[in-house]
Each structure stands twice: as structure tokens, then as C-alpha cells.
Amino acid sequence: MNAWIKKSFLAILSLVLMVGCTPFIENNEVEDIAPVIFWSISETDEGKLEISTLVPPLVKEKKRLLTLDVDLVEQGGKEFNLLYYRELKTGQLRMLLINEELARKGVKPILESMLPDPDISQRLFLLVFKGSFKDYIENQLNQQENLDLFLYNMLRHYEEYNQGEMSIINLHQFMKTLNSSYSFPILPIFKADKDSLVYEGTAFFDEDKLITSIEKMDEQLFQLINNDHYLKLFAIPDLAVTLGHVRSNVKINFNKNKSLISLKINLNGRIEEYRGEKNILDDTGFYAFNQEVESYLEKQTTELLKEMQELKVDPIQIGAHTLKPFSKPLSEKEWLNYWEKANIEVDYNLTIEPLTNVTQ
């Protein structure tokens, strides 16, 4: 009899585990719930977390912004349900926007609170923002229909087509980089104000703490040498030229004692617009122009890499190129010691297709 009871208990326990490790069934009726599409997280003057979200998403009702001051992220998810007549569900959470000042203190505690949640996708987009995202949302509520879905579709578009316009990073990618050797995480950074939310560039992290961000020319170079190795449009205002459909191939080499790091970068593209003074329809003028662009890019790229050395970060993951078969890998500390002191040599080889638009 005892053996029969034990077997029955094990069978019931196995059934419980199969249906989700809990005997409680959650209410998922569409009429009673509202899926959350984004969370915006900032830090208050009192050291609490200010969490905001937009409700209701994807429903023809007047939208409003819900905001809470809490001590813990999961506490915010719970207390939102006390402010809205539908139960808010994180199953459709697609974006997490983190304020720049909070990101400088570290994002790991926030992200680790989300990792165990089976409802939250590992493809959750992560963003850093400057300014007030709350002001932007409140001002745009009556101007942009389905604003939350609009932001998500923008990120998904650039992730899908890999145009090198943005550094699109999800939760899985960030945590994988954070926990890998020779890797320093990155995130896209946006500037938010009452009237606009504009992509500004790429934020560099040391461990889980934001230390700096790049924009404009440095951002374009970073896209070419590390992220997508492609730019649909590559504007160089200092040389009065815009290159189009630029693709890069980057080769990284070291000398024997790793005191010299060489980057050979082949760029292929075409001139979309030129407003400079050289006659690039002439062979001599075109060759001089080509040399001018190569020299300019070499100088700018070298300065960008030296800035990374000074900050002791390696978001390009140059250290991974030190790994060789049948040899002992360097520790991350050893690599950073080499990286900080190494000389940098950058060589561009630019191949340009015939002109498509010339202003003389």
C-alpha cells in the first residue's frame, strides 16, 4: 500500500513539474490582461528606481504613461497592476530603456532580475537614453499612434537588415558578451527630449558599467570596423563627400611581442555626393582625392583606437585575435596590459566605383 502511495505521489509531482512547476494557473484571458511592450528605468534623487510603461498597448483606448518609484525591478512589475484595471503581463516585453546615469552605476542587477523570468524573451532590445524619455512619451502620446510599437518596429528593422546604422543589441547578446573573455559590451544610446528621440551612437561598457559613448564620425567608423562592416551611407563632412554602400574587410595582426597592432582595412563603395574642390573626373584629381580619404580615415581610426586604449576597453574584441591553436591564451588582465601600451598602425585601402552624383 505504501509503495502504491509513493508511486501516486511521484506521478502527481511529475505532472505538476511538466505543466510549469506550479499548481497555480495564471489568468491569460485577452479581456483581462494587457501586454507590456517596454519598460523605461531611471534613478530618482532618493536612489530609488523610476519605472515607466505605456498602457494600454495595441488597444483603441486613450493611452497614458504609468510611472512608479520602487526599490526593485520586480517590485515595479507587481505594483503596476495596482494602477491599471487590467493585469499587466511581461510576455510581450520587447524593449528595456535604461537612463544613462543609471547605466554608469551598472546594469547587471537589473538584467539579472529579468533572466530567470520565462515570460521575458532573450531577444529583449536594450537601449540607453540621455535626457528624459518620460517627457518624450508624454508629449508624443497625442501625436504618434501606437508609439511603443513604432519604436519596436524601428529597432527590429535595423536588426533585421544589418545596415550598419545602429548598434542593435538584445539581452542575450549583452549577457553573452559580458560573460565572455576579451569582450566589452556595447549598447545603442539615444537622446530624448520633449520633441524627439534620436539615435546618438554607441555606448561602451567596462563590465556592466557605461564609461563613454561615441557619435558622428567615430560611430560610423565603429560600424565599419566592428559591428556590421557595412554602411548604406558614409558621410565625411570634413572632406565634403558622401560614400554609399560601403563594405569593409578588416584584418588584424600583431608583432611577436604584441607591442604593435596593425589593422588593414579594405573599403569598397561608391561616391554618392561630392562638394569638394578636386576634379575627381580627372585621373590625377581622383587619385589625389582617394589618397586624401584614406589618410583622413587612418587618422580618425587611430585616434578612436587610442581613446579605447586610454579607457582600457576593447569593444572591437581585438584581444580575441591573440588566441592561437596549441598555445596558452592570455588572461583578460594580461591582454589589457598589452592593449593599453601597444602602438597602433592603421592602413586603409579604398576602392571606389564610378560616380553616381557629382556637384562641381
Side-chain angles (χ1 to χ4, degrees):
M1 183 68 177
N2 290 336
W4 182 84
I5 293 175
K6 288 181 180 178
K7 289 180 181 179
S8 299
F9 175 76
L10 290 174
I12 294 171
L13 180 61
S14 299
L15 182 61
V16 169
L17 293 174
M18 289 174 61
V19 297
C21 304
T22 176
F24 301 104
I25 300 175
E26 294 190 11
N27 177 13
N28 287 318
E29 293 185 12
V30 174
E31 293 81 4
D32 296 334
I33 65 173
V36 176
I37 292 181
F38 77 85
W39 277 353
S40 168
I41 304 181
S42 302
E43 188 176 44
T44 68
D45 295 336
E46 293 76 26
K48 290 180 175 288
L49 297 177
E50 181 185 83
I51 303 181
S52 300
T53 192
L54 194 64
V55 294
L58 310 178
V59 177
K60 295 296 183 181
E61 296 179 18
K62 183 175 177 60
K63 294 182 181 291
R64 61 192 178 103
L65 190 69
L66 298 183
T67 300
L68 284 171
D69 290 349
V70 295
D71 295 298
L72 302 168
V73 174
E74 291 298 321
Q75 178 189 1
K78 175 183 177 180
E79 293 189 6
F80 270 132
N81 290 318
L82 304 178
L83 299 177
Y84 190 58
Y85 72 95
R86 287 193 179 100
E87 181 182 358
L88 299 180
K89 294 280 189 175
T90 57
Q92 291 300 316
L93 186 64
R94 292 294 181 261
M95 298 175 289
L96 179 65
L97 302 100
I98 304 172
N99 179 263
E100 178 191 23
E101 297 304 318
L102 181 58
R104 290 187 182 277
K105 296 182 178 181
V107 299
K108 191 174 182 180
I110 296 172
L111 302 184
E112 285 186 337
S113 71
M114 297 184 172
L115 286 173
D117 191 337
D119 292 334
I120 296 178
S121 169
Q122 293 286 300
R123 294 189 63 184
L124 171 72
F125 289 128
L126 304 179
L127 294 78
V128 175
F129 67 90
K130 297 179 179 180
S132 176
F133 184 73
K134 181 179 175 181
D135 288 348
Y136 167 73
I137 290 292
E138 289 178 335
N139 187 55
Q140 296 295 315
L141 276 179
N142 297 322
Q143 302 180 39
Q144 175 69 53
E145 186 177 2
N146 294 330
L147 181 60
D148 42 5
L149 187 61
F150 166 79
L151 294 175
Y152 169 67
N153 285 335
M154 175 186 69
L155 297 175
R156 188 178 63 175
H157 168 81
Y158 285 108
E159 178 194 47
E160 181 178 354
Y161 292 100
N162 297 319
Q163 294 180 171
E165 306 295 337
M166 293 184 184
S167 297
I168 305 299
I169 303 294
N170 62 41
L171 176 61
H172 169 74
Q173 292 168 328
F174 186 91
M175 296 305 295
K176 180 181 178 181
T177 303
L178 181 62
N179 295 314
S180 300
S181 299
Y182 309 110
S183 298
F184 290 78
I186 62 172
L187 284 181
I189 186 165
F190 288 73
K191 184 176 181 180
D193 57 35
K194 187 175 71 170
D195 299 314
S196 62
L197 179 71
V198 180
Y199 178 75
E200 194 162 85
T202 300
F204 294 163
F205 284 72
D206 183 4
E207 296 293 338
D208 70 323
K209 295 179 176 64
L210 186 155
I211 57 170
T212 193
S213 61
I214 57 172
E215 56 185 70
K216 298 179 181 178
M217 178 54 62
D218 285 345
E219 165 68 11
Q220 293 184 104
L221 292 173
F222 182 76
Q223 296 295 333
L224 286 173
I225 63 180
N226 178 70
N227 194 25
D228 289 320
H229 301 281
Y230 174 75
L231 282 176
K232 186 176 181 180
L233 291 173
F234 182 17
I236 310 176
D238 289 345
L239 302 182
V241 65
T242 299
L243 304 179
H245 298 279
V246 181
R247 298 186 183 276
S248 66
N249 179 270
V250 183
K251 295 182 179 179
I252 299 174
N253 293 297
F254 304 82
N255 64 353
K256 287 187 178 180
N257 61 5
K258 299 179 180 64
S259 62
L260 176 65
I261 302 173
S262 301
L263 283 80
K264 185 174 180 60
I265 304 169
N266 295 316
L267 286 187
N268 292 280
R270 66 191 188 197
I271 299 177
E272 297 288 350
E273 178 185 18
Y274 181 64
R275 302 181 65 86
E277 298 179 355
K278 290 183 174 60
N279 181 12
I280 56 177
L281 296 177
D282 175 76
D283 288 344
T284 302
F286 183 79
Y287 177 78
F289 165 79
N290 202 81
Q291 292 293 106
E292 182 182 40
V293 174
E294 289 180 349
S295 297
Y296 179 83
L297 295 180
E298 288 166 1
K299 178 177 181 293
Q300 296 297 320
T301 303
T302 301
E303 290 178 356
L304 174 60
L305 294 172
K306 286 183 176 179
E307 180 183 355
M308 295 177 187
Q309 287 179 301
E310 292 173 1
L311 295 169
K312 298 182 182 180
V313 296
D314 180 17
I316 299 176
Q317 301 182 31
I318 293 176
H321 293 268
T322 64
L323 298 173
K324 303 292 182 183
F326 312 113
S327 63
K328 182 181 178 181
L330 297 173
S331 69
E332 189 168 296
K333 184 177 180 180
E334 288 173 326
W335 159 241
L336 287 177
N337 187 51
Y338 281 112
W339 170 234
E340 183 183 5
K341 300 175 182 177
N343 293 314
I344 301 291
E345 186 179 86
V346 179
D347 178 32
Y348 272 86
N349 180 30
L350 181 63
T351 303
I352 301 177
E353 295 180 6
L355 307 180
T356 58
N357 182 22
V358 180
T359 301
Q360 294 182 317

